[in-house]
Amino acid sequence: MSVFLVRSIRSRPLPSLGSASASGNSRSSSVELSSLLPMAAISGKTIQNVFLAHRCQRPRQNTRNPSEFCALNVSNMHPLQGRRIAWTDMSTMQSHILAPQWTNLGNRTSISCNATQCGNVVSSFEKVDFLKLQNGSDIRGVAVAGVEGEPVTLTEPVSEAIAAAFAAWVLEKKKPDGSKRLRISIGHDSRISAQKLQDAVSRGIADAGVDVIQYGLASTPAMFNSTLTVDENFLCPVDGSVMITASHLPYNRNGFKFFTNDGGLGKADIKNILDRASKIYESFSDASLKASEQAADAAVKKVDYMAVYTSDLVAAVRKAAGNIEKPLEGFHIVVDAGNGAGGFFAGKVLDPLGAVTTGSQFLEPDGMFPNHIPNPEDKTAMKAITQAVLENKADLGIIFDTDVDRSAAVDSSGREFNRNRLIALLSAIVLEEHPGTTIVTDSVTSDGLTTFIEKKLGGKHHRFKRGYKNVIDEAIRLNTVGEESHLAIETSGHGALKENHWLDDGAYLMVKVLNKLASARASNSKVGSQVLTDLVEGLEEAAVSVEVRLKIDQNHSDLKGGSFRDYGEAVLKHLENKISSDPMFKKAPKNYEGVRVSGYGGWFLLRLSLHDPVLPLNIEAPSNEDAVKLGLAVLSAVKEFPALDTSALDKFVQQ
Ligand SMILES: O=P(O)(O)OC[C@H]1O[C@H](O)[C@H](O)[C@@H](O)[C@@H]1O
């Protein structure tokens, strides 16, 4: 990948980005530009129609005045017409300085910077704005400007306030006696805003008088794990942990997940932290932020914690295979990390275990996700790993989401282990170890999966609600009321095991799969990856399986000022009433969210999304015709609600 440098030569035309793109990968290309910077150099690349600029700063004392600091003459930047520019290392405060030099871009190009529209400037951000950042038990916001209609909400000061609030919350919970300082670890995925937010979060934590341990690129489960590891060499256990990630969302988003040794924080905790953050934010001034910048440096330590986490994974597989050093010798396993944080799995886990990993792809972190979205629920992503398995004639393919709390696999014939098939595979493995145990899953699992778990494997299927935290908490609850459960897993690829502290960990799910491969090979050297495919033999899968998402227009007058949740509930109630009088349908006897109904040999579930003003509809049926009949039944009920956008369902039933 070539990098361009902008040199301090005025008025030299910029070469066409278009022609540069043509010479490289069409989705991700870097360009050699020469031009126009008095005191700074710029490198960058164009990805997804965004020109991603990186400024290599020259010594500031050489600048005559601040506006020359990064002044660009872009009079010849026609090739950027209609494109966006995102800075990876410069706050918009600085880009405001250079804005006059860019005025001749007019409306052709929008300029944005890494973390924030207003960089490190304290701008008005009310309590209500903080509360909007809550996404279930996570915090999510826009961290990079440049996408139309998506203003930056997760600025550096906002992030700093949230981190300070989390540190205060941890202090309150842990009640330290003053003999030692508390410590909080910070990790991040591959997003382009990671560095800026890591710095802001570090400042917030240090401000609260807590030590900061930075791990750099890390996975979400590793961050939780750092609250459990006991090893002073790695400054563990930490008292709290922050993962900077927005999972599989687009490049401009980012967010936070928080942990203590009790697990991930719940919805009420997150609301509490956002409440506190809004108060802390009120006390911020430009001067106080400057002071906190200096204080942070002293409180920050860096630790290679991923080395601990990955060696634990390696040890787990060795142990399962009877303490063999290289239990995966002879297996060819390809990994697709989608340019997220999961690339470590090939080099740090599979290689030491003896597996061949050639053909693994997109292992290098790239926050623009130039190849595919790192998401095992995404069709393009699953196609990419399937292709890699087939092209490399591999025994197994493994794919992770951006922060590695979700995963899926592909067998040697290209059959996917995701959604119901992934749950079936893990259920088979866990039920061999714990006969009769209850498997807790999300609500969109199939009827075929219930039959498989209960009739073939002799376990119990507890179909609960959507949401990884809901599923895990329910499994923990069952154990406390005397019902043994060892696995909580979602069709999304989230999964947690009792034996692994109920840690929501996509990498550990794959370790369980590898354990099966390794132990089967240890007892019979001829065993190949077919052993995994055989485990899901007998799982009935519907010929048609679809999800359509019906949006609720929150500004529609039919909401009569009420919330989208109330409106959604009204839609569900109406559907339930209509269905109960129709002899073609039967309501699911046990159901924990939405309306789940059997009919025409299949089923549907309409429910409220966990986070969005959306009613997701899942349909599974033996044929397209039957699926359409189920869709039509839903459509006739929901059509009476004008604020509901049914176009996706209209399209489905008209096919
Ligand atoms: O309710 P939905 O909009 O379908 O979203 C549901 C999903 O939301 C998030 O991504 C959670 O991490 C998942 O655990 C959950 O399944």
Side-chain angles (χ1 to χ4, degrees):
M1 199 173 269
S2 66
V3 164
F4 72 83
L5 276 183
V6 181
R7 297 195 196 95
S8 52
I9 311 161
R10 287 195 178 268
S11 306
R12 239 173 89 184
L14 300 180
S16 157
L17 285 178
S19 62
S21 298
S23 64
N25 177 327
S26 61
R27 282 175 299 174
S28 167
S29 58
S30 296
V31 210
E32 183 84 33
L33 287 186
S34 270
S35 152
L36 330 182
L37 241 188
M39 294 303 160
I42 287 184
S43 66
K45 56 186 174 177
T46 307
I47 297 172
Q48 296 172 8
N49 211 28
V50 177
F51 178 65
L52 192 63
H54 178 81
R55 183 179 51 98
C56 317
Q57 190 179 323
R58 302 273 169 84
R60 197 169 183 167
Q61 62 268 27
N62 293 341
T63 58
R64 278 195 306 270
N65 63 56
S67 67
E68 278 186 4
F69 176 45
C70 193
L72 293 169
N73 177 341
V74 287
S75 54
N76 290 300
M77 272 186 114
H78 295 289
L80 282 174
Q81 245 180 31
R83 291 172 192 257
R84 298 190 302 272
I85 304 174
W87 296 93
T88 62
D89 69 336
M90 182 174 66
S91 76
T92 310
M93 198 167 87
Q94 289 163 338
S95 74
H96 284 158
I97 291 168
L98 59 89
Q101 280 75 23
W102 290 73
T103 45
N104 56 354
L105 282 171
N107 294 328
R108 298 188 313 242
T109 305
S110 64
I111 306 165
S112 65
C113 66
N114 176 5
T116 146
Q117 184 75 48
C118 298
N120 40 15
V121 174
V122 186
S123 53
S124 155
F125 205 71
E126 306 290 326
K127 181 170 167 185
V128 59
D129 303 316
F130 271 94
L131 295 180
K132 277 188 199 150
L133 296 173
Q134 175 155 15
N135 186 292
S137 50
D138 300 337
I139 284 174
R140 300 253 170 101
V142 177
V144 177
V147 175
E148 218 178 311
E150 296 189 9
V152 172
T153 51
L154 209 55
T155 63
E156 290 164 60
V158 164
S159 304
E160 188 169 330
I162 292 171
F166 173 57
W169 183 90
V170 172
L171 279 164
E172 205 172 283
K173 200 176 157 72
K174 302 273 171 178
K175 298 189 179 55
D177 59 12
S179 63
K180 96 180 178 26
R181 278 166 69 90
L182 294 191
R183 47 198 180 199
I184 291 180
S185 57
I186 308 173
H188 59 78
D189 68 18
S190 57
R191 288 170 184 279
I192 59 170
S193 51
Q195 209 62 44
K196 286 277 177 202
L197 293 195
Q198 177 189 262
D199 292 348
V201 169
S202 300
R203 291 195 293 270
I205 294 169
D207 268 357
V210 174
D211 282 346
V212 177
I213 326 285
Q214 292 180 352
Y215 294 169
L217 188 71
S219 72
T220 293
M223 298 315 294
F224 176 19
N225 219 46
S226 68
T227 66
L228 304 173
T229 303
V230 181
D231 189 340
E232 233 357 270
N233 292 323
F234 289 87
L235 306 176
C236 282
V238 292
D239 302 284
S241 185
V242 185
M243 178 66 181
I244 304 172
T245 181
S247 192
H248 59 280
L249 295 184
Y251 77 93
N252 64 327
R253 318 289 178 82
N254 217 329
F256 308 118
K257 294 185 186 211
F258 300 108
F259 302 94
T260 66
N261 55 355
D262 288 336
L265 269 57
K267 280 184 184 174
D269 303 323
I270 298 295
K271 180 167 180 304
N272 178 313
I273 285 167
L274 289 171
D275 270 340
R276 289 170 190 253
S278 70
K279 292 192 189 95
I280 294 172
Y281 190 81
E282 278 171 18
S283 69
F284 279 178
S285 66
D286 291 349
S288 72
L289 292 184
K290 225 171 175 56
S292 78
E293 218 169 307
Q294 280 149 11
D297 287 348
V300 172
K301 296 187 178 74
K302 291 184 197 288
V303 160
D304 179 14
Y305 180 74
M306 284 306 279
V308 180
Y309 171 76
T310 50
S311 70
D312 284 352
L313 296 181
V314 169
V317 183
R318 285 185 179 143
K319 188 167 164 223
N323 293 317
I324 303 171
E325 178 73 8
K326 300 204 164 190
L328 296 179
E329 204 140 44
F331 284 115
H332 186 170
I333 303 174
V334 293
V335 176
D336 182 330
N339 303 103
F344 69 84
F345 202 81
K348 297 273 171 60
V349 178
L350 294 174
D351 289 350
L353 292 168
V356 171
T357 56
T358 48
S360 291
Q361 58 193 12
F362 319 137
L363 303 182
E364 54 302 321
D366 185 334
M368 295 303 287
F369 312 119
N371 294 295
H372 61 69
I373 298 165
N375 180 5
E377 282 192 292
D378 180 70
K379 285 202 172 78
T380 316
M382 287 310 292
K383 202 167 155 208
I385 180 65
T386 304
Q387 240 166 25
V389 167
L390 296 177
E391 275 164 19
N392 290 284
K393 298 190 172 43
D395 297 295
L396 187 70
I398 291 178
I399 183 164
F400 296 111
D401 76 335
T402 320
D403 58 323
V404 203
D405 56 5
R406 295 191 288 130
S407 59
V410 172
D411 75 8
S412 56
S413 70
R415 279 300 301 271
E416 295 173 359
F417 287 118
N418 72 342
R419 302 188 63 77
N420 288 297
R421 269 175 81 80
L422 177 71
I423 299 178
L425 177 64
L426 265 302
S427 299
I429 292 170
V430 169
L431 275 154
E432 271 179 6
E433 296 165 2
H434 304 284
T437 200
T438 297
I439 311 291
V440 181
T441 74
D442 64 323
S443 57
V444 307
T445 43
S446 67
D447 288 346
L449 180 71
T450 310
T451 310
F452 181 73
I453 291 174
E454 303 203 338
K455 300 277 176 335
K456 165 107 196 272
L457 303 176
K460 186 176 163 201
H461 180 199
H462 179 45
R463 181 185 295 121
F464 193 56
K465 297 179 187 170
R466 189 94 166 128
Y468 69 93
K469 187 102 176 78
N470 288 334
V471 176
I472 293 171
D473 288 350
E474 178 67 357
I476 294 170
R477 189 193 68 80
L478 287 183
N479 282 293
T480 62
V481 297
E483 181 169 343
E484 190 203 70
S485 172
H486 285 269
L487 175 65
I489 185 165
E490 263 203 309
T491 40
S492 62
H494 278 288
L497 285 108
K498 188 178 179 195
E499 69 184 37
N500 193 36
H501 314 279
W502 291 116
L503 188 65
D504 174 39
D505 189 348
Y508 195 80
L509 280 190
M510 290 302 113
V511 158
K512 287 301 281 182
V513 172
L514 297 176
N515 285 352
K516 182 70 199 169
L517 268 190
S519 58
R521 169 65 62 89
S523 53
N524 177 356
S525 61
K526 294 210 170 51
V527 161
S529 64
Q530 181 64 29
V531 68
L532 301 177
T533 314
D534 291 348
L535 283 176
V536 298
E537 174 77 44
L539 171 70
E540 284 166 28
E541 290 177 87
V544 180
S545 173
V546 286
E547 176 171 303
V548 285
R549 297 175 73 89
L550 314 178
K551 283 196 190 119
I552 301 170
D553 175 358
Q554 296 185 76
N555 301 319
H556 199 286
S557 58
D558 203 40
L559 263 71
K560 299 183 182 74
S563 73
F564 75 82
R565 290 208 167 271
D566 291 345
Y567 196 79
E569 292 295 352
V571 175
L572 293 173
K573 192 83 220 134
H574 181 68
L575 173 66
E576 193 175 356
N577 290 340
K578 273 201 100 167
I579 290 299
S580 57
S581 59
D582 189 330
M584 291 309 292
F585 296 111
K586 191 168 165 271
K587 254 183 69 190
K590 253 196 198 164
N591 189 37
Y592 295 86
E593 68 176 341
V595 181
R596 184 168 173 129
V597 169
S598 304
Y600 299 107
W603 59 271
F604 71 74
L605 170 70
L606 186 72
R607 66 182 174 95
L608 255 165
S609 157
L610 241 52
H611 327 285
D612 305 322
V614 164
L615 288 165
L617 171 67
N618 289 80
I619 300 177
E620 286 199 5
S623 70
N624 217 34
E625 210 187 329
D626 291 320
V628 167
K629 284 179 189 156
L630 290 164
L632 280 168
V634 176
L635 191 61
S636 76
V638 302
K639 268 287 180 214
E640 298 172 31
F641 290 82
L644 199 62
D645 175 1
T646 60
S647 52
L649 185 53
D650 291 334
K651 199 168 154 207
F652 174 69
V653 298
Q654 280 158 18
Q655 59 180 321

